[in-house]
Amino acid sequence: MNNNHNRSFFFNVDSFTILLFLLLMAIGWFNIYAAVFTDETVSIFDMNTNFGKQLIFIIVAIITGTAILLMDAKFFSTFSPIFYAITILLLIVVLVIGRNVGGNQAWIPIGSFRLQPSEFAKWSSCLLLAKYLSSGNFKLSDLKTQVVCAAILGLPMFLIMLQPDTGSAMVFGSLILVLYREGLSPYYLISGVLMIILFITTLLFGKLMVSLALIAFTGLLIYYYQKNRKLLTTFIAGFALSIIFMFSVDFVYNNVLKSHQKGRIDILLGISTDLRGAGYNVNQSKIAIGSGGLLGKGYLQGTQTKFNFVPEQSTDFIFCTVGEEWGFAGSFTVILIYLVLLLRIVVLAERQRSSFNRIYGYSVACILFCHFFINIAMTIGLMPVIGIPLPFLSYGGSSLISFTILLFILLKLDANRMGINS
């Protein structure tokens, strides 16, 4: 490859996205330092601490991203089935020899490092999904195509649920938005939203009240559309499925969900309060964020942060440190950076010439948005605590490197959209 070609390729790499990536990692590193800072802390470069290890992860992530940009773009499409098979194998292996941390058997110990296969399964599943949908004349209106897509996403979800890691498994559900973009019927999305509403209302008001409401609503629909037999059949089928789903809520709630998961849902919906138990994390998180005010208490000055009131503050609850020490202004700035990054990814996805690149681009946007939205929502009490990291900010090597691979594959595909190969 000659120098002119090399310069031409790197000129096409989206530098704005890389700048946002570096900015978020820097913000994360400084906040991880603040989250574990004490008066005895000697240096931000102490490699025996979380922030010291995170610096190593950041360096590895930058090297990994650079390596991806230097690879042939066709490599990711060609080897996507192999990547997927390897991560599925790792998800099986972790169930056998994995280390249990916090009730989840999700990590494979490799020396002093712990590998979390579920993080890598996200980008490998995105690649295989893009490979499948772009490899032939598949239409998402066909049942066979829908079944294959469901299997691609459902297999890693099932294995991750066995760990059990509900949060990571839920992230795969966000990819239904990619399928919708590629032609999946909107009825699937509508049905999903209605199921969530029915689940919540059943827990809040009970089966009797919800059943009466469904009967009344279905009766009104039948009355107004009594001459349309096709719609009548749909309404009756929908009513029957809603009743079946409603009665399954109790079974799932009482027999599938674990006690701590039920406790978090109860607290979120206001069914119960437990500030010393299941509601402790969220309550302390809201206190920390709220105490920051407009401009925050100042870097390394957060009392909730400094005295470790919020558990997992360098990982799942890293946003609390931002809220307490940087205040509303800092929190808004971080959220704005994420939104700009997500919007930029959508722009990159839309300008792709190949369907593989476009599908993968939207998959990246969905995965990152799901992590961003759920993580921040759970820290401010809008969603139950399910334990997923904030991309590029939370402490953790597996998550940071996995998010880097996810993003930089898209940057590589985008740089080659005009047919330029490195």
Side-chain angles (χ1 to χ4, degrees):
M1 182 173 61
N2 60 49
N3 291 333
N4 289 333
H5 188 89
N6 201 3
R7 285 195 298 269
S8 178
F9 165 74
F10 279 103
F11 179 79
N12 280 275
V13 175
D14 192 69
S15 57
F16 182 61
T17 302
I18 293 179
L19 176 63
L20 295 173
F21 160 76
L22 295 173
L23 182 59
L24 286 172
M25 285 200 303
I27 292 171
W29 185 48
F30 282 110
N31 278 280
I32 291 168
Y33 177 70
V36 298
F37 176 81
T38 64
D39 293 334
E40 289 75 33
T41 302
V42 178
S43 169
I44 195 171
F45 298 103
D46 185 352
M47 295 303 159
N48 295 316
T49 60
N50 280 4
F51 48 84
K53 293 176 183 176
Q54 187 70 5
L55 178 59
I56 296 175
F57 297 148
I58 289 172
I59 294 171
V60 172
I62 292 173
I63 294 172
T64 301
T66 304
I68 289 172
L69 293 179
L70 293 172
M71 298 173 72
D72 190 328
K74 294 180 181 179
F75 172 81
F76 303 104
S77 173
T78 303
F79 288 92
S80 57
I82 296 177
F83 292 141
Y84 183 83
I86 291 173
T87 53
I88 292 299
L89 179 62
L90 289 174
L91 288 173
I92 295 172
V93 169
V94 78
L95 295 173
V96 179
I97 66 169
R99 180 177 297 177
N100 193 302
V101 179
N104 294 338
Q105 190 165 322
W107 289 267
I108 299 175
I110 304 175
S112 59
F113 178 72
R114 294 183 305 187
L115 179 70
Q116 189 175 6
S118 59
E119 293 296 334
F120 295 90
K122 294 167 187 174
W123 59 262
S124 67
S125 298
C126 292
L127 282 174
L128 186 61
L129 184 68
K131 171 76 171 180
Y132 171 69
L133 289 176
S134 62
S135 61
N137 189 27
F138 297 112
K139 295 182 179 179
L140 280 163
S141 57
D142 296 336
L143 180 60
K144 181 181 177 181
T145 304
Q146 295 172 9
V147 170
V148 174
C149 291
I152 291 172
L153 303 180
L155 180 56
M157 285 181 70
F158 172 73
L159 293 172
I160 292 169
M161 285 295 294
L162 293 178
Q163 296 177 0
D165 186 355
T166 308
S168 294
M170 283 180 59
V171 172
F172 288 84
S174 67
L175 295 174
I176 191 174
L177 296 174
V178 179
L179 302 181
Y180 172 70
R181 167 64 180 81
E182 296 301 315
L184 185 68
S185 170
Y187 289 114
Y188 287 96
L189 286 177
I190 296 170
S191 299
V193 172
L194 291 177
M195 287 172 65
I196 294 171
I197 294 172
L198 193 57
F199 184 88
I200 293 172
T201 53
T202 302
L203 291 179
L204 286 174
F205 304 108
K207 294 191 295 291
L208 178 60
M209 292 296 294
V210 176
S211 296
L212 293 174
L214 284 172
I215 291 170
F217 182 66
T218 306
L220 285 173
L221 290 175
I222 291 174
Y223 175 76
Y224 282 109
Y225 296 96
Q226 55 186 300
K227 295 182 179 180
N228 191 324
R229 291 188 177 183
K230 186 176 180 180
L231 280 178
L232 288 178
T233 303
T234 302
F235 295 149
I236 294 171
F239 171 77
L241 291 173
S242 297
I243 293 295
I244 293 171
F245 178 80
M246 182 189 65
F247 277 90
S248 72
V249 169
D250 272 348
F251 176 80
V252 172
Y253 184 77
N254 293 314
N255 299 284
V256 177
L257 296 179
K258 296 184 178 297
S259 58
H260 69 277
Q261 294 171 328
K262 291 189 287 187
R264 290 167 180 172
I265 292 173
D266 288 347
I267 289 166
L268 177 68
L269 299 179
I271 297 173
S272 65
T273 55
D274 183 9
L275 300 184
R276 293 181 179 274
Y280 178 80
N281 287 18
V282 175
N283 184 57
Q284 293 298 322
S285 172
K286 291 193 288 186
I287 290 173
I289 293 173
S291 67
L294 179 61
L295 299 176
K297 296 176 180 177
Y299 187 57
L300 303 181
Q301 302 303 312
T303 53
Q304 294 291 116
T305 294
K306 193 172 183 179
F307 296 108
N308 200 30
F309 282 102
V310 183
E312 309 295 336
Q313 193 155 346
S314 63
T315 53
D316 299 339
F317 286 88
I318 190 67
F319 190 71
C320 299
T321 306
V322 177
E324 183 180 18
E325 298 192 347
W326 299 17
F328 173 80
S331 300
F332 178 79
T333 301
V334 170
I335 291 173
L336 184 62
I337 293 171
Y338 273 112
L339 293 178
V340 172
L341 174 63
L342 290 167
L343 180 60
R344 185 61 184 170
I345 290 172
V346 171
V347 170
L348 296 185
E350 274 298 320
R351 73 184 188 184
Q352 300 308 306
R353 291 185 169 187
S354 77
S355 56
F356 175 84
N357 293 11
R358 183 185 67 249
I359 294 167
Y360 181 78
Y362 272 100
S363 299
V364 174
C366 287
I367 295 290
L368 292 180
F369 174 77
C370 187
H371 271 270
F372 157 72
F373 177 79
I374 292 178
N375 182 278
I376 292 181
M378 76 180 188
T379 61
I380 59 178
L382 295 180
M383 289 194 70
V385 178
I386 56 175
I388 63 173
L390 189 57
F392 310 118
L393 260 74
S394 293
Y395 169 77
S398 290
S399 62
L400 178 59
I401 295 170
S402 176
F403 285 132
T404 300
I405 294 172
L406 182 77
L407 180 62
F408 273 75
I409 289 176
L410 173 61
L411 291 176
K412 174 62 182 181
L413 296 176
D414 176 68
N416 284 265
R417 72 186 187 279
M418 304 301 291
I420 299 173
N421 292 305
S422 65

